[in-house]
Amino acid sequence: MITMEFEEMKRIWDTQNNEPVYAINEEALRKRIAGKKKQVSYTTGLSELIIIGANILAAGIIMVSGAIEGKQSTFAYLLAAAMVLTAVFMAVSRIRRMRSEDRFEASMLGDLDHAIANARYQVWLAAAGRWGLLPIALFTTLSVWDDGTTWWKLQLVLAFFVAVYFLSGKEYKCIKHRKNKLEALRDNLQKQN
């Protein structure tokens, strides 16, 4: 068995392939970064649309059901108002985010910075959604309680919001981890340049 030294293997590789052993395939990296940028932009836009649509739909259901039943508590109206305000706030945030997308340069690092900016926005969106859940949970619970419903239905509502709050924490950590990976990739690329 012949044992080659690393430097000798590297020299042979370099002469045969005309590229260093540790060369970065820039085209593959560029495609990967463009894919990450596209994925983050898509999930960010979809999240925004889901939040806007769900809040408008839920507020509409609350208002229509109150009109049909002929009774509605003050807490239900506050809940519907909070949902409409959330939808308006998200629509304004979406417009601002989309307007700021042209500020990134057309390069690999520009695409990566764009993906990082959208990932940071997603982290903010997840945190805001988590905190925004609290007033909605409060108004929903008070509305159900004010309606004179049974205690077990009230407990189901509370259990639902506790589960959603827990799951939103998991989502927040996952999104933050993806953002950190993108930032680490950018830091590595900047070190090599």
Side-chain angles (χ1 to χ4, degrees):
M1 177 185 259
I2 301 173
T3 308
M4 281 191 206
E5 294 293 323
F6 177 74
E7 290 300 320
E8 187 179 347
M9 286 175 29
K10 182 180 180 307
R11 186 175 43 79
I12 292 169
W13 175 271
D14 289 348
T15 57
Q16 287 178 346
N17 297 316
N18 292 328
E19 67 177 51
V21 176
Y22 294 113
I24 294 174
N25 184 340
E26 285 193 34
E27 187 57 34
L29 183 62
R30 179 172 279 120
K31 285 181 182 177
R32 186 164 183 210
I33 289 172
K36 286 186 179 292
K37 173 188 159 190
K38 186 176 179 180
Q39 178 189 21
V40 171
S41 292
Y42 174 77
T43 56
T44 302
L46 185 62
S47 296
E48 291 166 331
L49 292 175
I50 288 171
I51 291 168
I52 293 167
N55 278 285
I56 290 172
L57 180 64
I61 290 171
I62 291 168
M63 298 306 293
V64 169
S65 69
I68 290 172
E69 292 176 6
K71 63 175 184 168
Q72 192 71 278
S73 74
T74 304
F75 298 116
Y77 287 123
L78 289 173
L79 176 61
M83 290 180 163
V84 168
L85 288 175
T86 300
V88 169
F89 177 74
M90 282 309 310
V92 170
S93 294
R94 177 179 168 81
I95 290 167
R96 284 183 181 161
R97 179 188 63 83
M98 293 175 79
R99 283 185 183 163
S100 71
E101 292 200 348
D102 293 338
R103 67 183 168 101
F104 299 98
E105 63 183 56
S107 68
M108 189 168 34
L109 279 175
D111 285 348
L112 191 53
D113 285 336
H114 187 179
I116 289 169
N118 278 337
R120 283 183 183 147
Y121 177 79
Q122 275 188 312
V123 168
W124 170 84
L125 188 62
R130 205 157 183 233
W131 286 107
L133 180 68
L134 296 176
I136 290 174
L138 176 68
F139 291 140
T140 302
T141 305
L142 290 172
S143 178
V144 169
W145 177 66
D146 189 42
D147 196 28
T149 192
T150 60
W151 63 272
W152 65 270
K153 285 183 182 177
L154 188 61
Q155 285 183 336
L156 279 175
V157 168
L158 289 172
F160 170 76
F161 282 112
V162 168
V164 169
Y165 188 78
F166 174 75
L167 292 173
S168 68
K170 294 278 189 188
E171 177 196 27
Y172 175 80
K173 287 178 185 175
C174 180
I175 291 170
K176 192 167 185 180
H177 177 70
R178 274 188 270 161
K179 177 194 71 88
N180 291 343
K181 284 174 66 175
L182 288 170
E183 288 174 338
L185 176 60
R186 183 193 56 204
D187 292 344
N188 285 336
L189 286 175
Q190 287 177 336
K191 285 179 187 175
Q192 291 180 3
N193 287 338

